């Protein structure tokens, strides 16, 4: 049995640029261990797995190390593959059922517009360790269930940011 996997470079119109994601089209559910093995084998930032459901697709994302709660570029890649392979009418909204809720995508001329649920951040006190990891002072900080949001002094600070990625991963 052949299971199609497509590699898509998101956020670009050039091959080997942008942010790569693999998109795997499933005909039936697969064990989590199998999904993780495929993602590890693809060795891309994320591998998206699509399973048709009534009125949409079940969508799950896996990095080479674990399942991910939400991934924008792999969602964009998934919508692209559905429309490119004529699995979804170009005027129809793509609907994805995920661990983060319902996500949708629509074609807007040459673009794909994504709609994700809002994840408001609640204010938290910027900790010394967060500032040390980022390497910059934080004016304000917030946290939602997945991420921190940190306000820094200016755009140049963001551009020059060189965080300690190993510490962030921990």
């Amino acid at each position: 049995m052949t299971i199609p996997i497509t590699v898509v470079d998101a956020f670009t119109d050039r091959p080997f640029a942008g942010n790569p994601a693999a998109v795997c089209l499933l005909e039936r559910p697969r064990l989590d261990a199998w999904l993780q093995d495929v993602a590890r084998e693809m060795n891309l930032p994320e591998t998206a797995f699509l399973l048709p459901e009534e009125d949409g697709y079940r969508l799950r994302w896996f990095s080479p190390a674990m399942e991910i709660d939400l991934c924008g570029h792999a969602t964009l890649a998934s919508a692209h593959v559905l429309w490119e392979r004529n699995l979804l009418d170009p005027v129809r909204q793509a609907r994805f059922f995920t661990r983060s809720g319902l996500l949708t995508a629509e074609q807007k001329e040459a673009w794909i517009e994504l709609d994700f649920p809002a994840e408001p951040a609640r204010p938290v006190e910027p900790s010394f360790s967060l500032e040390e990891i980022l390497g910059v002072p934080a004016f304000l900080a917030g946290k939602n269930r997945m991420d921190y949001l940190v306000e820094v002094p200016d755009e140049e600070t963001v551009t020059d940011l060189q965080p300690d990625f190993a510490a962030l991963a921990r």
Side-chain angles (χ1 to χ4, degrees):
M1 168 193 246
T2 301
I3 299 173
I5 300 177
T6 304
V7 176
V8 176
D9 293 315
F11 309 124
T12 186
D13 60 358
R14 295 185 353 256
F16 311 112
N19 198 353
V23 179
C24 182
L25 300 168
L26 301 173
E27 293 181 359
R28 63 179 176 82
R30 296 289 181 151
L31 296 174
D32 289 0
W34 185 88
L35 300 175
Q36 188 64 67
D37 286 344
V38 170
R40 190 175 305 105
E41 181 75 16
M42 294 307 299
N43 199 30
L44 292 171
E46 269 79 33
T47 299
F49 295 93
L50 290 170
L51 180 65
E53 288 192 355
E54 188 177 325
D55 196 33
Y57 289 83
R58 173 71 38 204
L59 173 58
R60 296 176 70 184
W61 310 274
F62 284 78
S63 76
M66 66 182 165
E67 186 166 10
I68 305 298
D69 285 334
L70 183 64
C71 181
H73 83 281
T75 304
L76 181 66
S78 297
H80 173 76
V81 166
L82 291 175
W83 285 311
E84 280 289 309
R85 291 180 174 252
N86 295 315
L87 297 171
L88 193 60
D89 187 313
V91 298
R92 189 163 170 230
Q93 181 184 68
R95 297 172 54 81
F96 301 110
F97 306 102
T98 75
R99 288 186 354 177
S100 292
L102 174 65
L103 311 179
T104 62
E106 294 185 42
Q107 285 197 41
K108 303 283 185 169
E109 297 178 16
W111 297 89
I112 296 174
E113 183 178 288
L114 300 177
D115 187 14
F116 285 16
E119 287 277 345
R122 60 175 167 58
V124 296
E125 192 65 37
S127 69
F128 173 75
S129 60
L130 180 61
E131 291 179 334
E132 187 175 76
I133 289 168
L134 294 176
V136 299
F139 289 137
L140 297 171
K143 182 171 179 9
N144 64 22
R145 76 182 164 98
M146 293 184 285
D147 297 304
Y148 279 95
L149 176 66
V150 178
E151 183 180 345
V152 296
D154 52 38
E155 181 179 344
E156 185 178 356
T157 302
V158 174
T159 305
D160 295 341
L161 198 65
Q162 294 186 350
D164 179 345
F165 286 108
L168 279 173
R170 288 190 296 273

